[in-house]
Amino acid sequence: MENDVAIAVEAMLKNAQPLFTTESCCIYKVPSQIRQSNEDAYTPKIVSIGPLHHGNSRLVTMEGHKQVYCQHFIQRSEVSLTDLVSCVQQLEPQIRACYSEKIDLTVDELVKVIFIDCCFVIELFLGHVWMRNDAIHSKSWMGTRVAQDLILLENQIPFFVFEKIYNLAFASRLNGGKLRSFMWIAVIMFPYHNKQGVLPPAGGNIAHFTDLVRYLYLPPSHRIPSRNPVPLVIGQSASELVEAGVKFTVNKPWHGIGILDLEFEHGILKIPDIVVDDSTEVWLRNIVALEQCHYPRHHYIADYVNFLTRLVNRDKDADVLIKAGIIRSTISGNDTSVAKLFKDVDKNFTVFNVNANYLEICDDLKAYCKHPCHTKMATLRRDYFTTPWKTATSIAGIVLLFLTFVQTICSILQV
């Protein structure tokens, strides 16, 4: 006699579907253990892009703007509305496979959401490049908020969809060289993050805008050797390192140096400058979440945050980096907020390996601080040469001591 429970389980398993396929998936709901520390950092404030936040009542005001921008894009396009929609319809299975969550929209509903949002974003980007004074660009606060929403991990559409629509709509102008690629205008949209002045190569496998922003921060090699999962341990915070004789300075402020390029040599820790403002936590959190979900063995930004967390424990540690010009803080509150920001972003992600360059810096810092000569020299500088008055007094004392010594020797020789 067949077991009813076994029959039910068999029927259930036949209908089982994976949540997502590893090869295609690139857009994720942020894991709850990461999300819980700051829900707002992962939630769009003004505009939803893609299906994950579609229908959110807080974002409905923007839908009218999106539709107007979509109309403008269609009017600008070289092909018909039917051709543009057909392009998205053909891509629908690939688009759906890019999301980690099951999308509770029919094929037609998803095509409509993706089409409206893509046209809106492309028209928005073109307006930014051409500096048009439209409904969004005329209000700087709105343009800033929309740009921030566009880099949220949950607020994404696959990059290839934008490129397909854009290339279809402007085929003749692209071939004639009168219009730049979509990749180019997308990079121009995020100048705040492109300190290295890089442009991803054609076919560079950029998944979406969160991934693009991450790419803009990567070192030129895009490959940092990693070691086994040993924790980053400096042993001393920035203020303690200063007492041990370490100096802090901004690392080579020229083209090609990104925020990840840290160096330690001859007692000087060189760190590229970073602006810490009210948006910093948002983009750091979303890139770290992307690395956790999509780049579990290549978490460059997470390693960087982890290193800074070890350096900046308290307000006086933040003050060391601020005085050195490494951190340019404009966030409200005191410098303790800077320390809290990095600590909060550093929570609840799993590390498979560690940036070998940072591990080497940690080892070198520990070895430097153990050398008694460095600590004594730092104490001497701190106690006797911190101000012009102290320096002058110390030099006068040394000269006086030297003259006294010479006088004593002369007196002995005369006897």
Side-chain angles (χ1 to χ4, degrees):
M1 184 177 179
E2 291 192 69
N3 188 312
D4 291 341
V5 176
I7 294 171
V9 169
E10 183 180 18
M12 178 180 68
L13 294 178
K14 281 181 180 178
N15 296 322
Q17 295 289 334
L19 288 178
F20 57 88
T21 57
T22 308
E23 299 80 14
S24 303
C25 182
C26 60
I27 302 171
Y28 305 83
K29 285 285 282 187
V30 176
S32 58
Q33 70 270 22
I34 296 176
R35 189 187 187 90
Q36 64 187 358
S37 58
N38 188 348
E39 188 89 14
D40 287 345
Y42 309 101
T43 308
K45 307 294 186 299
I46 192 167
V47 61
S48 71
I49 300 295
L52 296 185
H53 288 276
H54 178 71
N56 188 324
S57 58
R58 295 193 308 165
L59 308 174
V60 71
T61 306
M62 201 64 187
E63 293 303 311
H65 287 301
K66 286 161 66 172
Q67 292 167 15
V68 170
Y69 274 62
C70 186
Q71 286 178 332
H72 292 164
F73 174 77
I74 293 167
Q75 292 165 4
R76 199 184 307 283
S77 170
E78 298 171 1
V79 297
S80 68
L81 170 61
T82 301
D83 291 335
L84 292 170
V85 171
S86 295
C87 174
V88 180
Q89 286 174 323
Q90 292 170 15
L91 296 172
E92 189 275 341
Q94 294 171 250
I95 295 169
R96 194 179 288 268
C98 288
Y99 292 90
S100 65
E101 301 293 302
K102 182 181 179 182
I103 307 301
D104 292 324
L105 297 172
T106 65
V107 170
D108 290 348
E109 288 171 340
L110 181 58
V111 167
K112 180 181 173 183
V113 169
I114 297 296
F115 177 73
I116 295 289
D117 289 355
C118 280
C119 293
F120 161 72
V121 170
I122 295 172
E123 184 66 18
L124 178 76
F125 283 16
L126 290 172
H128 177 75
V129 172
W130 295 333
M131 295 190 292
R132 285 202 306 269
N133 197 28
D134 53 30
I136 293 177
H137 294 108
S138 62
K139 298 177 177 63
S140 59
W141 69 268
M142 185 180 287
T144 300
R145 288 293 179 85
V146 169
Q148 289 175 3
D149 282 352
L150 290 179
I151 64 174
L152 303 181
L153 179 56
E154 296 179 356
N155 215 31
Q156 298 301 317
I157 289 173
F159 198 86
F160 69 82
V161 186
F162 290 107
E163 289 190 308
K164 290 278 189 181
I165 295 174
Y166 181 84
N167 293 345
L168 178 63
F170 304 120
S172 68
R173 277 176 274 184
L174 285 167
N175 293 333
K178 296 178 181 178
L179 197 63
R180 297 278 197 158
S181 68
F182 181 74
M183 178 68 77
W184 186 88
I185 66 169
V187 169
I188 292 298
M189 189 67 186
F190 303 109
Y192 174 89
H193 301 282
N194 194 16
K195 306 301 183 187
Q196 301 182 89
V198 300
L199 180 69
N205 260 348
I206 297 299
H208 41 68
F209 296 141
T210 316
D211 193 36
L212 173 61
V213 172
R214 174 182 178 270
Y215 180 95
L216 297 177
Y217 284 107
L218 294 185
S221 66
H222 301 172
R223 293 276 179 184
I224 299 178
S226 300
R227 294 185 190 172
N228 292 328
V230 236
L232 284 174
V233 179
I234 300 175
Q236 293 172 295
S237 66
S239 57
E240 292 167 337
L241 288 172
V242 169
E243 292 177 0
V246 175
K247 295 179 181 178
F248 288 82
T249 186
V250 177
N251 192 21
K252 308 171 188 172
W254 59 56
H255 179 82
I257 294 297
I259 64 169
L260 307 184
D261 295 298
L262 280 62
E263 296 178 16
F264 179 68
E265 54 184 4
H266 309 304
I268 300 173
L269 182 54
K270 303 175 182 178
I271 305 175
D273 67 305
I274 178 174
V275 175
V276 178
D277 57 25
D278 292 331
S279 68
T280 303
E281 182 175 357
V282 172
W283 67 261
L284 279 176
R285 277 184 174 276
N286 280 271
I287 295 177
V288 168
L290 170 65
E291 290 186 331
Q292 182 75 113
C293 297
H294 199 64
Y295 298 106
R297 298 190 182 278
H298 301 284
H299 34 71
Y300 304 115
I301 306 298
D303 283 343
Y304 167 78
V305 171
N306 190 242
F307 190 94
L308 284 191
T309 302
R310 301 292 177 272
L311 278 183
V312 184
N313 291 329
R314 296 156 292 179
D315 54 347
K316 65 178 184 178
D317 298 319
D319 192 50
V320 168
L321 270 61
I322 290 170
K323 285 181 178 178
I326 294 166
I327 291 178
R328 291 181 285 154
S329 174
T330 63
I331 59 178
S332 53
N334 56 34
D335 295 337
T336 309
S337 304
V338 175
K340 184 177 185 303
L341 185 153
F342 289 115
K343 283 180 183 176
D344 287 348
V345 176
D346 192 44
K347 289 177 182 174
N348 299 323
F349 67 86
T350 304
V351 172
F352 288 97
N353 46 21
V354 179
N355 184 309
N357 181 44
Y358 294 172
L359 281 172
E360 186 176 336
I361 290 174
C362 288
D363 292 342
D364 290 347
L365 280 169
K366 285 183 280 189
Y368 185 90
C369 294
K370 284 180 181 177
H371 199 295
C373 181
H374 297 146
T375 304
K376 289 174 182 176
M377 287 298 294
T379 303
L380 185 64
R381 284 195 298 267
R382 183 178 66 249
D383 292 345
Y384 297 103
F385 297 97
T386 52
T387 66
W389 175 249
K390 276 190 176 183
T391 302
T393 304
S394 299
I395 292 173
I398 293 170
V399 171
L400 182 61
L401 183 63
F402 176 74
L403 292 175
T404 304
F405 175 76
V406 171
Q407 186 179 21
T408 303
I409 295 297
C410 290
S411 298
I412 293 172
L413 293 174
Q414 287 174 358
V415 172

